[in-house]
Amino acid sequence: QVQLVESGGGTVRIGESLRLSCAASGIDLNTNAVNWFRQPPGSGRELVASISSSTTSTSFSESIQARFSIARDRAQKLVYLQMNNLKLEDTAVYYCNVQRWEGPSIVDFWGRGTQVTVSS
């Protein structure tokens, strides 16, 4: 059974930083591309950042540009989302996601999310 667990959320002020972590059981994050999504209050879920299985490729949404970074700790089998210079609009529940082929279909695995609240 695949389980993803996010941690590191909390309440911070504008301009501060947080680092989110994604850990997994039942799946090896080191051999899978990993995505971070977020869901602001009253809005749909949006892709924030992705990292390829080889770690040679990362991508970010335009709304975060250079403020966020994504990285792996292969020894710990974790994926981090480093969020700097946080803004009010970064307030959301952040989710770790892995997509994997299972037979002819792609299956999405999600964590339960971690709340990030940015206050003024």
Side-chain angles (χ1 to χ4, degrees):
Q1 183 180 1
V2 174
Q3 288 189 321
L4 302 179
V5 179
E6 304 91 343
S7 61
T11 300
V12 296
R13 294 191 179 275
I14 294 172
E16 293 183 341
S17 299
L18 277 175
R19 188 179 74 167
L20 307 183
S21 299
C22 176
S25 60
I27 193 169
D28 187 352
L29 292 185
N30 285 351
T31 59
N32 285 274
V34 178
N35 308 302
W36 281 98
F37 284 75
R38 69 184 181 186
Q39 187 164 12
S43 298
R45 202 168 290 191
E46 61 183 11
L47 178 63
V48 173
S50 299
I51 187 166
S52 65
S53 57
S54 64
T55 316
T56 57
S57 175
T58 59
S59 62
F60 303 92
S61 69
E62 289 185 6
S63 63
I64 64 171
Q65 296 183 351
R67 297 186 296 119
F68 290 10
S69 61
I70 187 170
R72 293 183 179 277
D73 181 334
R74 289 196 178 276
Q76 300 287 334
K77 296 190 176 183
L78 298 171
V79 172
Y80 299 114
L81 182 68
Q82 177 67 43
M83 306 186 296
N84 299 325
N85 190 22
L86 283 161
K87 302 179 179 182
L88 291 174
E89 54 264 38
D90 295 318
T91 294
V93 179
Y94 284 72
Y95 297 92
C96 181
N97 165 263
V98 173
Q99 298 177 327
R100 187 173 71 180
W101 283 100
E102 292 194 349
S105 304
I106 292 179
V107 177
D108 276 290
F109 299 101
W110 297 94
R112 292 188 174 184
T114 185
Q115 176 71 47
V116 172
T117 302
V118 184
S119 64
S120 58

